[in-house]
Amino acid sequence: MKSDAVKKGVQQAPHRSLFNALGFTKEEMERPLVGIVSSYNEIVPGHMNLDKIVEAVKMGVAMAGGVPRVFPAIAVCDGIAMGHVGMKYSLVTRDLIADSTEAMAMAHQFDALVMVPNCDKNVPGLLMAAARLNIPTVFVSGGPMLAGHVEGRKRSLSSMFEAVGEYTAGKINAEELEEYECKVCPTCGSCSGMYTANSMNCLTEVLGMGLQGNGTIPAVYSERLRLAKRAGMQVMELLKKNIRPRDIMTDKAFMNALTVDMALGCSTNSMLHLPAIAHEAGVELNVDIANEVSARTPNLCHLAPAGPNYMEDLNEAGGVYAVMKELTRKNLLNLDCMTVTGKTVGENIANSVNRNPEVIRPIDHPYSTTGGLAILKGNLAPDSGVVKRSAVVPEMMVHEGPARVFDCEEDAIAAILGGKIVAGDVVVIRYEGPKGGPGMREMLNPTSAIAGMGLGSSVALITDGRFSGASRGASIGHVSPEAAVGGPIALVEEGDIISINIPENRLELKVSEEVLAERKAKWQPREPKITTGYLARYAAMVTSGNRGAILEIPKTK
């Protein structure tokens, strides 16, 4: 066992004395040491129940003969961090989580791990750590929040953000706004739509790193506790069989993840996280392949914000496995991939049933014949930009309009809420990329303001930052190269005409090459917004959005 390095032999007598200080018995010294990485905290609604999940995991590990020991992982609530300097600290925690988990696991020589994440960045951060460490690992999340109800209709956090725009536009009053505040987030759990947290938890099932239901069983269901116990027991089986994350997260598994991503209509953030996780697993995942996958993968689900269904509805319809089973009807998945169940994908989903064709469309009756995400390219995004195609209204799939240019999110929000953005405009928010932000802030506030002001079917938004999974509309993010490194988005001027063609995967600035060259010659890099602390180190090491915003040591000249 890996833990023998800290438990066996004369030289380890000091180590054993410290285990004695922890209350270990001689019997425990002989058993596998299983680390449980707990993202529990009291500030993130999606994490406030994780103490219960962790206790259930501990019980499962102990029942199966292991010795469970808990250590922490941080997590930021993207909703609370939204719209201020705090959002600069969201994406960057993904690497802190991966690094700190690596440090704890290696320093204490755990034999296996159970990861207990839930919200946006700690799911991919822990998947990165699992791939990097490559010791037997199972994931069990805290589960999604139940949808709220306002005036008899299901609602979620995205509804709340849009209600702010509706209030500003005079469409609802203060009392109605307060009703949203009190009702849209009624339970613990990751917010109830197909936002980033739920996207990544669902894709954890697809990758083979989580048990069935990990992405969809609501946080408040007792079934979630049973799942956690099974996860604790299952990690011991993986240890016995020596099944490791890199045996599971193969190139074929990542292709499965991209395919199901398209069918589910996941968050655009999956185009940041999947390449980063793949990188840690030694798999090259170029986002350019996403359009190829999308071209052959129908979009089967319209969960909030793209449609009226929520995670609880997907769970009742059969969950992620039922979506995967639909995809097998056109041979779109690799069924021989190994998973944490000890069985293949094909074996796992063999008996899955689609219980609600209104929530999971049959594959011969999809919402669209192409997937939920699209990669756009053109002279405005030579490397790439990403849009959640399934959340774009038909009239905005092709759009052309004048650029309204802002060098930070706050200025754009002020203009939108101040009535300065009109139908037809293309809002450009730049210097918010991985380096320029730094930290690549989410733009849920401006996209929600646009929708709330009644401009969702007539105004587009383009940024080198990123979007929350709760964003909807013609919202194009991850534009690469970013403005901070002199990408074309830095050269856009007020009033320039921008052409968006999502069906053709094009994003163009209607300015001649000669004019762009003149602007490029005059462009000067901006002074860094932050020069001290973790964000400064992050900005120096982070790559572009199209590469997953992974960290690399800067090359010396």
Side-chain angles (χ1 to χ4, degrees):
M1 289 187 294
K2 188 179 179 72
S3 62
D4 286 350
V6 293
K7 293 189 301 186
K8 300 287 186 180
V10 174
Q11 297 300 317
Q12 281 66 43
H15 304 71
R16 289 194 296 274
S17 72
L18 293 168
F19 283 113
N20 285 331
L22 289 169
F24 272 44
T25 65
K26 288 186 177 181
E27 291 82 1
E28 286 176 306
M29 292 285 196
E30 298 297 322
R31 296 176 180 177
L33 187 61
V34 179
I36 302 174
V37 189
S38 171
S39 298
Y40 169 75
N41 63 50
E42 294 182 336
I43 190 62
V44 183
H47 292 228
M48 62 184 284
N49 67 320
L50 294 192
D51 55 339
K52 308 295 189 300
I53 303 296
V54 166
E55 287 302 313
V57 171
K58 287 174 66 177
M59 187 174 294
V61 169
M63 285 192 296
V67 181
R69 280 297 178 267
V70 180
F71 64 89
I74 63 170
V76 164
C77 176
D78 277 26
I80 295 174
M82 195 74 65
H84 56 90
V85 69
M87 182 45 70
K88 294 179 184 290
Y89 287 88
S90 173
L91 179 61
V92 305
T93 64
R94 187 184 70 181
D95 295 276
L96 282 175
I97 291 160
D99 292 348
S100 61
T101 301
E102 175 194 359
M104 288 293 288
M106 294 301 294
H108 302 100
Q109 292 293 285
F110 287 103
D111 296 300
L113 296 170
V114 180
M115 307 293 198
V116 188
N118 210 27
C119 289
D120 293 24
K121 307 310 170 300
N122 68 329
V123 181
L126 290 178
L127 283 165
M128 289 165 65
R132 189 185 301 175
L133 289 162
N134 200 35
I135 60 177
T137 302
V138 174
F139 275 68
V140 57
S141 77
M145 182 184 293
L146 293 178
H149 290 81
V150 179
E151 296 181 348
R153 295 177 61 190
K154 286 185 177 181
R155 297 291 190 180
S156 62
L157 183 65
S158 54
S159 311
M160 181 71 252
F161 275 90
E162 291 180 13
V164 174
E166 292 174 1
Y167 174 77
T168 303
K171 296 180 179 180
I172 61 174
N173 58 36
E175 290 75 18
E176 290 170 309
L177 183 66
E178 185 177 8
E179 184 179 10
Y180 273 87
E181 288 180 40
C182 296
K183 293 182 177 180
V184 296
C185 296
T187 72
C188 62
S190 48
C191 295
S192 57
M194 187 53 81
Y195 311 149
T196 305
N198 292 326
S199 294
M200 294 310 302
N201 280 324
C202 287
L203 294 182
T204 301
E205 283 191 57
V206 184
L207 283 170
M209 292 298 294
L211 299 176
Q212 183 178 8
N214 181 61
T216 60
I217 298 170
V220 295
Y221 284 13
S222 297
E223 186 182 357
R224 174 68 52 180
L225 298 177
R226 293 193 291 273
L227 180 71
K229 291 175 186 175
R230 289 197 298 272
M233 291 186 281
Q234 189 59 31
V235 80
M236 299 302 294
E237 288 297 312
L238 294 180
L239 183 58
K240 290 175 187 175
K241 296 176 181 177
N242 196 29
I243 298 174
R244 299 167 180 252
R246 291 193 186 186
D247 300 324
I248 295 169
M249 289 192 282
T250 62
D251 53 351
K252 289 183 179 180
F254 281 101
M255 288 303 295
N256 282 349
L258 273 177
T259 300
V260 178
D261 186 314
M262 295 299 173
L264 283 172
C266 290
S267 164
T268 53
N269 281 314
S270 61
M271 292 297 101
L272 282 176
H273 300 321
L274 287 175
I277 299 161
H279 176 75
E280 296 290 352
V283 174
E284 184 66 30
L285 185 64
N286 190 322
V287 296
D288 287 353
I289 202 172
N291 285 339
E292 179 184 325
V293 175
S294 180
R296 63 174 180 258
T297 307
N299 178 224
L300 305 181
C301 299
H302 268 193
L303 293 116
N309 299 315
Y310 293 80
M311 294 306 296
E312 62 204 64
D313 302 313
L314 178 59
N315 186 63
E316 294 302 319
V320 175
Y321 278 20
V323 176
M324 295 173 73
K325 187 63 179 292
E326 283 289 344
L327 293 172
T328 64
R329 293 172 58 194
K330 288 194 175 180
N331 300 315
L332 293 174
L333 295 179
N334 298 294
L335 300 180
D336 58 350
C337 295
M338 180 51 61
T339 73
V340 292
T341 65
K343 300 177 181 178
T344 65
V345 168
E347 291 172 314
N348 286 344
I349 67 175
N351 298 319
S352 296
V353 176
N354 181 356
R355 299 189 184 94
N356 189 339
E358 294 301 314
V359 175
I360 304 171
R361 288 278 186 93
I363 200 162
D364 51 7
H365 182 54
Y367 282 101
S368 65
T369 56
T370 53
L373 298 181
I375 304 297
L376 309 186
K377 286 193 173 187
N379 68 347
L380 186 51
D383 291 338
S384 69
V386 184
V387 64
K388 188 169 183 174
R389 173 165 45 194
S390 60
V392 180
V393 295
E395 53 266 40
M396 289 299 290
M397 296 295 281
V398 177
H399 180 76
E400 192 170 285
R404 305 298 308 279
V405 183
F406 304 93
D407 287 350
C408 67
E409 176 190 5
E410 288 83 355
D411 290 350
I413 292 171
I416 296 165
L417 295 180
K420 297 179 180 178
I421 302 301
V422 299
D425 285 348
V426 179
V427 176
V428 177
I429 305 177
R430 61 192 182 190
Y431 294 100
E432 290 284 10
K435 285 185 180 293
M440 205 177 188
R441 289 196 288 181
E442 287 186 344
M443 301 293 158
L444 180 56
N445 270 339
T447 59
S448 298
I450 287 170
M453 296 287 283
L455 298 170
S457 60
S458 59
V459 168
L461 194 154
I462 297 171
T463 181
D464 54 7
R466 60 195 179 90
F467 295 108
S468 164
S471 291
R472 62 186 177 97
S475 303
I476 301 164
H478 310 189
V479 169
S480 302
E482 63 175 291
V485 299
I489 192 171
L491 311 179
V492 181
E493 294 183 0
E494 187 80 8
D496 285 348
I497 300 300
I498 292 176
S499 173
I500 300 165
N501 191 318
I502 295 173
E504 295 183 3
N505 307 116
R506 301 295 298 171
L507 181 61
E508 299 283 350
L509 180 64
K510 294 298 190 72
V511 174
S512 69
E513 291 184 13
E514 293 77 15
V515 171
L516 285 177
E518 290 174 6
R519 292 179 185 178
K520 179 69 174 179
K522 296 176 183 177
W523 179 83
Q524 293 293 323
R526 303 281 181 98
E527 287 295 318
K529 295 176 183 176
I530 295 175
T531 57
T532 60
Y534 177 56
L535 286 181
R537 296 197 301 276
Y538 181 88
M541 298 174 68
V542 71
T543 63
S544 63
N546 70 302
R547 294 186 58 200
I550 60 172
L551 299 186
E552 288 184 338
I553 298 172
K555 294 179 181 178
T556 56
K557 294 182 180 179

